[in-house]
Amino acid sequence: ERRQKAYPRLTHPLVRDTRDEEFRRASWDEALDRVARGLRRHRGAFGMLSCTRATNEANYLAQKFARVVMGTNNVDSSDRRCHAPSVEGLAAAFGAGGGTSSYEEIERTDVVVLWGSNARVAHPVFFQHVLKGVQAGARLYVVDPRRTSSAEWAEGWLGLNVGTDIALAHAVGREIIQAGLVDETFVGRATSGFEEYRALVEPWTLSLAQKVTGVPAPAIRELAHAYGRAERAQLCWTLGVTEHRNGTDNVRALIDLALLTGQVGRPGAGLQPLCGRNNVQGAVDMGAAPHRLPGFQDVLDPDARLRCESAWGTTLPPHRGLDLAEMFEEMETGGVRAVYCVGEDPARSSEGDGGQAVRRLKALDFLVVQDVFRTSTAELADVVLPAASGWAESEGTTTNSERRVQRVRKAVDPPGEARGDVDIIRDLAGRLGHAWAYADAEAVWNELRSVSPDHYGMTYRRLEEHDGLQWPCPSTRDLEPPYLHGRLWEGDPARRGRRAPFGLVPHVPPTDLTDERFPIRLTTGRRLDSDNPLVPGGISPSPSRLGECVELCPEDAERYGVVVGEKVQITSRRGSVVASVWIDTALRPGLAFTTLRIPDEADADQQAPAVRCPIAGTAEYKATAIRVDKLPLVTYVG
């Protein structure tokens, strides 16, 4: 209901004759003809933004439209903001960018480590599996700057300083080595770079780690021994690990712990990144990424390109495209002049910096938005196409964090003249000279199966029969184990294949350091009743029951002389925002929490460039230095 009030539902195509005029209602024929004309002029300067809430079929067609119709690999999704470091880190270590375990295995493990994840709030369905594991005897450890509600169920809570994940992981690794808990057989035959890793973590003694991370040395030692001695252990993480300037390195540091102890490639042992939106994993799997073809195949792989070229009747660009952040940069320089935005709201939530994103979108020669709601980005568009919801008004599939592909079934018709994403993209491609004869979503899925070996065995019939299947699923008859990388335990080197390399990553502190002027470290996250409010540069269109507030510990609230409900000004080096105070005993002095981002409303000459992970392109959202100022009392006279 709140989202409806903020963003009204789109029910009819909208066009405007000039940017200075208001939208007017149009027919589908007029709207699609306008889009075709606008995009045809910009084949060499085009970007596609796909949607992590849309179905796999919609994401597959979106990336195919970019590559086949527009001839570019410039396609990306909001995965870039959150999950990309997990994908890149896992791919670098194992060659596949998905979690290595199933949810059911969490229920049958001995140790669960939630690192940078308040899963009880942010991933409540997954946390039910964690609770079943705890009730069956698993030991739960939570690594988080806040003593979260997830930590209430934990045997141990490690409250590290924001941005010190690698330091803590290296200290855990060193203690595992020093205690003789390394699985030497696994390390010797299935990994590479161990000696270099040993040298890298050697300086990270328990005492040094305590000084840097703020975690007591006995707690670090306890976690290291629990994880290292466990027969089966699961290491899970989410945005607390990835939303840093070294997010991919953070992921590699956690993977190293699994490699040290052989906690991967076996039942009940594994690595589990948790996705926020319903189809983050699926968007990447379908090829909605500048460097990946469907089935997580490298766009630089000639065999993968040939497989897709044969199915699509085209020649693909043999190089990676622009990611989300790079597309925004190219809007500034003229390298991207037209954008097709499906189900995303980059004016509010893109990798662009607040007002800069809006300015860059306004500077485009042509912008078409295809969405369920009339978003902030839709207000900037030349043409707006009303789409059906991906979860209740469409047929198709989605892929969750355990790599499970599940059917989505249409429950109701979309309102007005809104149409499904698949139908819209198919008809638009036809106007640009590509007659795609897809009768329905299943026809799209079957084409995806023909180009992705990992999805080949997943027919709609089998997905319904098994209530979903995990990839890889190369056979229409057999099922693979629910865990990945069992090959690493094979005795035959040929069957074992590529060794998993240790990630030799250094500890790097956050860029935005606290000081006397900005003494508080602000970190961000979700609340249970807030709908993915983590958007840079603005406030969510669907705030939680608490409203948009800043949470302080009792000591800091007393220090600043503020009480619950009082409005304060939160100021960073790049902008400020007014929010209400909430007091939370889960926080420590010097640490604040909020669901909103500090908007970039400062003057242009005060803007600091966004610091991003050089591998995944994810910005550092978890470590902002701020100050909290009381607002002056206002007296009304008369």
Side-chain angles (χ1 to χ4, degrees):
E1 181 182 351
R2 290 180 177 182
R3 190 176 180 92
Q4 282 275 48
K5 291 178 181 178
Y7 287 156
R9 183 69 193 264
L10 290 167
T11 57
H12 302 88
L14 301 174
V15 302
R16 61 169 125 229
D17 298 313
T18 69
R19 290 279 177 88
D20 297 328
E21 297 182 35
E22 293 297 318
F23 282 116
R24 62 176 175 82
R25 180 171 167 176
S27 68
W28 270 104
D29 282 339
E30 180 186 5
L32 291 176
D33 286 343
R34 282 195 176 216
V35 175
R37 287 197 302 271
L39 297 185
R40 188 179 289 115
R41 297 194 301 267
H42 298 93
R43 273 200 168 91
F46 171 80
M48 168 68 82
L49 304 184
S50 196
C51 181
T52 54
R53 284 195 173 104
T55 63
N56 285 323
E57 291 77 3
N59 278 285
Y60 173 79
L61 277 198
Q63 64 83 32
K64 182 180 176 182
F65 184 93
R67 291 182 163 111
V68 176
V69 178
M70 301 302 292
T72 181
N73 288 322
N74 296 346
V75 55
D76 207 358
S77 71
S78 61
D79 160 69
R80 191 63 46 198
R81 296 200 305 270
C82 53
H83 188 54
S86 297
V87 172
E88 297 300 329
L90 288 163
F94 305 112
T100 72
S101 301
S102 66
Y103 290 169
E104 187 177 353
E105 290 174 79
I106 300 290
E107 303 173 13
R108 302 195 304 267
T109 194
D110 302 312
V111 169
V112 178
V113 181
L114 290 178
W115 198 305
S117 169
N118 185 13
R120 186 183 183 191
V121 165
H123 299 90
V125 174
F126 171 79
F127 196 69
Q128 295 305 308
H129 297 280
V130 174
L131 290 181
K132 289 181 180 179
V134 171
Q135 291 163 358
R139 303 169 68 184
L140 173 63
Y141 290 86
V142 172
V143 180
D144 199 292
R146 300 183 298 142
R147 194 179 188 107
T148 63
S149 58
S150 298
E152 295 175 8
W153 296 86
E155 185 165 322
W157 168 62
L158 286 75
L160 78 171
N161 295 328
V162 174
T164 62
D165 301 271
I166 290 176
L168 181 59
H170 283 355
V172 171
R174 182 186 186 276
E175 179 62 22
I176 288 172
I177 293 171
Q178 293 293 317
L181 301 178
V182 176
D183 188 326
E184 296 181 356
T185 301
F186 178 83
V187 168
R189 70 182 182 184
T191 73
S192 63
F194 171 69
E195 292 303 326
E196 293 85 348
Y197 174 79
R198 185 207 296 267
L200 175 69
V201 302
E202 176 57 31
W204 287 101
T205 62
L206 295 179
S207 59
L208 175 60
Q210 175 175 304
K211 180 178 179 180
V212 173
T213 69
V215 179
I220 302 174
R221 184 181 185 279
E222 180 182 344
L223 173 61
H225 284 250
Y227 187 79
R229 295 181 187 279
E231 174 64 26
R232 301 160 299 180
Q234 295 277 348
L235 208 168
C236 316
W237 68 88
T238 185
L239 304 187
V241 167
T242 60
E243 285 190 339
H244 292 272
R245 65 163 171 164
N246 55 349
T248 305
D249 286 353
N250 286 345
V251 172
R252 294 298 302 275
L254 299 189
I255 293 172
D256 287 342
L257 300 181
L259 296 182
L260 267 184
T261 54
Q263 296 290 1
V264 66
R266 297 186 287 112
L271 297 154
Q272 189 68 65
L274 305 176
C275 305
R277 294 184 173 186
N278 62 302
N279 205 27
V280 168
Q281 185 67 53
V284 179
D285 294 344
M286 294 302 104
H291 61 313
R292 295 291 178 183
L293 295 170
F296 204 72
Q297 299 173 96
D298 194 334
V299 76
L300 301 181
D301 182 349
D303 293 334
R305 286 202 310 275
L306 180 60
R307 184 179 297 114
C308 291
E309 288 170 345
S310 299
W312 298 342
T314 190
T315 300
L316 297 176
H319 53 77
R320 76 181 299 276
L322 301 174
D323 66 27
L324 188 62
E326 291 166 341
M327 280 190 244
F328 270 90
E329 292 168 1
E330 288 296 315
M331 292 178 200
E332 190 86 45
T333 63
V336 172
R337 301 307 312 153
V339 166
Y340 185 1
C341 179
V342 178
E344 290 294 334
D345 191 9
R348 184 177 289 251
S349 61
S350 79
E351 293 285 32
D353 291 347
Q356 287 192 38
V358 173
R359 176 171 54 80
R360 290 167 174 173
L361 289 166
K362 285 182 176 179
L364 290 169
D365 292 337
F366 188 77
L367 172 63
V368 55
V369 171
Q370 179 174 313
D371 211 320
V372 176
F373 297 101
R374 187 164 168 169
T375 63
S376 298
T377 306
E379 296 294 345
L380 306 176
D382 297 281
V383 180
V384 179
L385 306 176
S389 166
W391 65 272
E393 300 167 355
S394 302
E395 292 286 334
T397 60
T398 58
T399 309
N400 69 6
S401 297
E402 64 168 352
R403 299 172 282 108
R404 185 173 302 278
V405 178
Q406 297 168 296
R407 282 281 281 116
V408 175
R409 294 169 182 83
K410 181 178 178 179
V412 296
D413 291 327
E417 297 180 27
R419 301 176 61 196
D421 290 313
V422 166
D423 294 337
I424 298 171
I425 298 172
R426 177 199 61 201
D427 290 356
L428 182 55
R431 279 169 164 78
L432 289 166
H434 296 265
W436 293 347
Y438 301 115
D440 52 24
E442 185 173 9
V444 177
W445 181 253
N446 285 335
E447 182 177 290
L448 172 276
R449 291 174 49 233
S450 73
V451 299
S452 171
D454 282 347
H455 294 85
Y456 176 74
M458 296 182 182
T459 64
Y460 269 24
R461 182 186 61 79
R462 292 192 81 209
L463 290 174
E464 293 170 0
E465 178 184 335
H466 294 280
D467 292 326
L469 293 168
Q470 288 177 278
W471 62 256
C473 184
S475 169
T476 56
R477 296 186 305 274
D478 302 324
L479 294 179
E480 298 293 313
Y483 54 88
L484 290 180
H485 316 310
R487 64 175 179 82
L488 295 173
W489 294 91
E490 293 283 354
D492 182 357
R495 292 173 60 87
R496 196 159 58 238
R498 170 182 174 270
R499 289 172 177 260
F502 279 87
L504 307 177
V505 295
H507 163 63
V508 179
T511 301
D512 198 10
L513 298 177
T514 55
D515 57 20
E516 291 184 2
R517 187 180 174 204
F518 300 100
I520 301 289
R521 174 66 71 197
L522 177 70
T523 194
T524 59
R526 295 188 180 98
R527 297 190 183 100
L528 181 60
D529 57 351
S530 55
D531 176 23
N532 198 28
L534 305 184
V535 291
I539 294 175
S540 166
S542 74
S544 71
R545 287 174 300 169
L546 292 177
E548 296 304 340
C549 64
V550 59
E551 299 180 17
L552 302 173
C553 70
E555 294 86 348
D556 283 339
E558 182 179 0
R559 172 187 172 192
Y560 289 109
V562 297
V563 296
V564 171
E566 181 177 347
K567 297 282 188 181
V568 296
Q569 181 167 282
I570 311 166
T571 304
S572 75
R573 291 183 173 90
R574 296 199 297 164
S576 63
V577 68
V578 173
S580 299
V581 169
W582 186 260
I583 297 176
D584 189 352
T585 56
L587 295 165
R588 296 169 292 155
L591 179 66
F593 174 82
T594 185
T595 60
L596 58 85
R597 305 283 190 209
I598 295 295
D600 300 318
E601 296 173 348
D603 295 336
D605 60 354
Q606 295 176 341
Q607 290 280 359
V611 180
R612 307 182 190 281
C613 172
I615 300 170
T618 302
E620 186 161 67
Y621 297 137
K622 292 296 184 187
T624 303
I626 64 165
R627 67 172 181 269
V628 177
D629 296 312
K630 284 178 67 73
L631 296 176
L633 294 175
V634 178
T635 302
Y636 295 94
V637 179

